[in-house]
Amino acid sequence: MTFLQLNDLKVHFPTDDGLVKSVDGLSFQLERGKTLGIVGESGSGKSVTSLSILGLHKGGRAKISGEIWLDGEELVSASQEHVRSLRGKKMAMIFQDPLSAMHPYYTVGDQIIEAYRIHNDVSKKVAKKHAIDMLGRVGIPQPDRRVDSYPHEFSGGMRQRAMIAMALSCDPELLIADEPTTALDVTVQAQILDLMRDLQRDFNAALIIITHDLGVVAELSDDILVMYGGKCIEYGSADDIFERPEHPYTWGLLGSMPRLDREVTERLLPIKGSPPSLINVPSGCAFHPRCAFEPRTGGKGSTVVPDLVETEGGHLVRCHLSREERRDIWATEIKPKLES
Amino acid sequence: MTETILSVEGLEKHFPVTKGLFKSQVGAVKAVDGISFDVRKGETLGLVGESGCGKTTTGRLITRLIEPTGGKITFEGHDITHMKQGKLRPLRRDMQMIFQDPYSSLNPRHTVGAIVGAPFRIQGIETEQGTKKAVQDILELVGLNPEHYNRYPHEFSGGQRQRIGIARTLALKPKLIIADEPVSALDVSIQAQVVNLLEDLQNELDLTYVVIAHDLSVVRHISDRVAVMYLGKIVEVGERAGLYGSPMHPYTNALLSAVPIPDPKQREGRERIRLTGDVPSPLNPPPACRFHTRCWKAQEICKTQEPPLAELAPGHAVACHFPENAPSKTETPATVA
């Protein structure tokens, strides 16, 4: 049985201006010990997906449909209390900005102890020892002293380490990291990515890493899911996405990014326009107003929503172009420009 | 060699730290602590470093948004270090700034026309066909619809707002533009649009840029020369190809090897240098070489003698006792005191 499985997840928010379809029919699977990278620009629905898995949109204004199966349990229909009992224990989250995710009035240790004691019937003393252990595990120097520090006394990198310690304190089987290194400097980011890689190996957790940085995804992920306008537009192994990408949006992302490992190109190859508003997602393929290859779809781009179709061995693409056309465009028009 | 448009010598900014009722000074944050560099006409100089290294302060000192505590800034032959605001104003036409956050750097109550037209008003410049026409021409230049003249900033997306900011910067046809993290608040696909726009404008209008950024790959893409800062000092400066191809300072090496490479094949087997710990506080920076606390090559001399910024290859200077990739590489100190 698959450890985590999403079937046609939809998260819609009714607002005064209309229905915001943040996530609109998302399905994927993830096994223990594997890492899934979810990539997309702001407003593509990647964070809403992660919050829905954790049940943090329950009871709010969100309209959620579809299924989320975690280790044999369905979470969309489960009660808030039940999901709450799983949160922290079975699944945990690492947030982007540790300063706003931690409570400024309590010491870092107290916050870890609280989470640990909710899920484990132990004394404060035992819990504190566990908190010190965890802080040591994530590489915080002198954990027995730092356990009594407040979040503001930590540097950005240390705070993110403390967040990871907190998330891992109950030994979760599913760990979701939402932009875990975006707020950090590049040398600290490298430390945190190393740490996450090592810890995942030790804990054998399923890891979902959400980011807009293709470099970070390439470092960590086994599989990659590219989101656009609330939908998955391409899914595949890391090699598929970086070596044989088939969706024009993925090409656009790769072309937008200057790379240190290649010769300097004359110009970047950006995507025209800007990401769509989720209140008013373009008709047909959501990407069609920005797509350079839309004319080749014979008018289907703006009228018909393309299906997510498998092209080869688990590599899924949502595009009107035929597989041959896509491969031809990638090999003759896109790849040479990226590598020139 | 081409003309120098901006020259900075020994620039310093120490922010005082005060204590108690009488605000007696108990220390100073040495945000920028004696940096020197030249900017040549028509080039793009990239200024990179991690948070707290003083790169933004440097940008604000050059544009005189804050008062330097030491050193000298020369812009087109004028010493502007302590020039009075009144005398500085005419020079401001030639030196403009692009800000990082397109949300907070535009007044939400002003229309695009008022924002981009403000420089004309403040400088009292009359244009042939009126300010409105001039503003619309600039809007078109940066890829915005001139009909958006009467709209407000909130009606635009982040990328469009950044274009409005760029339009304002360009209004008076400046010679030098200081861009402080011009693309870091934008989405990846929009970043590329703005980077291309900056390059096009440079070619068209013969601009000189100082680009301040933390993203090493963006800086490599747009800069001709790059300066790396660490704790208020420039540790290495050189031509783009030299600096990225054969970095000499251990810190530059570490920075470059920390950048994640978007290629899963290179995940294994890539040689990485991992720095431990965090950047020390600029309130109390380490003595002598400021990088010695995190440097794997550090020896006794690094703790006692500050390495000068020495030119070891043509146009490539580094402040290190044990530089890497240096021509006639030796393991002895590169400079003798």
Side-chain angles (χ1 to χ4, degrees), chain B residues 118-235:
Chain B
F120 294 101
R121 210 178 60 240
I122 293 167
Q123 295 277 354
I125 290 177
E126 301 286 330
T127 47
E128 270 175 43
Q129 291 157 305
T131 308
K132 182 168 180 183
K133 177 77 175 68
V135 168
Q136 290 186 326
D137 286 348
I138 300 162
L139 289 180
E140 197 155 7
L141 184 69
V142 299
L144 289 168
N145 188 341
E147 286 160 23
H148 291 169
Y149 185 83
N150 282 320
R151 295 206 184 173
Y152 287 90
H154 74 263
E155 297 176 66
F156 295 90
S157 68
Q160 286 175 315
R161 281 182 209 216
Q162 196 58 303
R163 287 176 195 260
I164 297 171
I166 293 173
R168 171 176 60 186
T169 306
L170 292 173
L172 300 176
K173 309 212 163 35
K175 293 174 184 153
L176 174 70
I177 292 181
I178 317 284
D180 188 0
E181 301 274 9
V183 298
S184 63
L186 307 173
D187 269 321
V188 188
S189 68
I190 310 296
Q191 275 193 6
Q193 293 173 2
V194 173
V195 166
N196 281 352
L197 174 69
L198 288 174
E199 289 188 328
D200 291 343
L201 291 172
Q202 182 168 41
N203 294 336
E204 234 165 279
L205 306 174
D206 195 22
L207 299 169
T208 308
Y209 288 136
V210 174
V211 176
I212 298 165
H214 70 281
D215 186 325
L216 290 145
S217 30
V218 168
V219 167
R220 172 172 177 253
H221 186 84
I222 57 178
S223 307
D224 300 303
R225 288 193 308 138
V226 179
V228 183
M229 287 187 73
Y230 186 76
L231 273 180
K233 296 266 186 197
I234 289 183
V235 295

Side-chain angles (χ1 to χ4, degrees), chain A residues 24-62:
Chain A
D24 200 22
L26 187 69
S27 307
F28 65 81
Q29 302 181 346
L30 183 63
E31 295 292 352
R32 281 191 185 83
K34 292 284 182 195
T35 303
L36 173 72
I38 301 184
V39 192
E41 295 180 282
S42 44
S44 61
K46 47 195 201 309
S47 292
V48 173
T49 305
S50 64
L51 295 176
S52 311
I53 296 173
L54 287 172
L56 291 173
H57 278 309
K58 272 180 172 296
R61 300 182 60 175

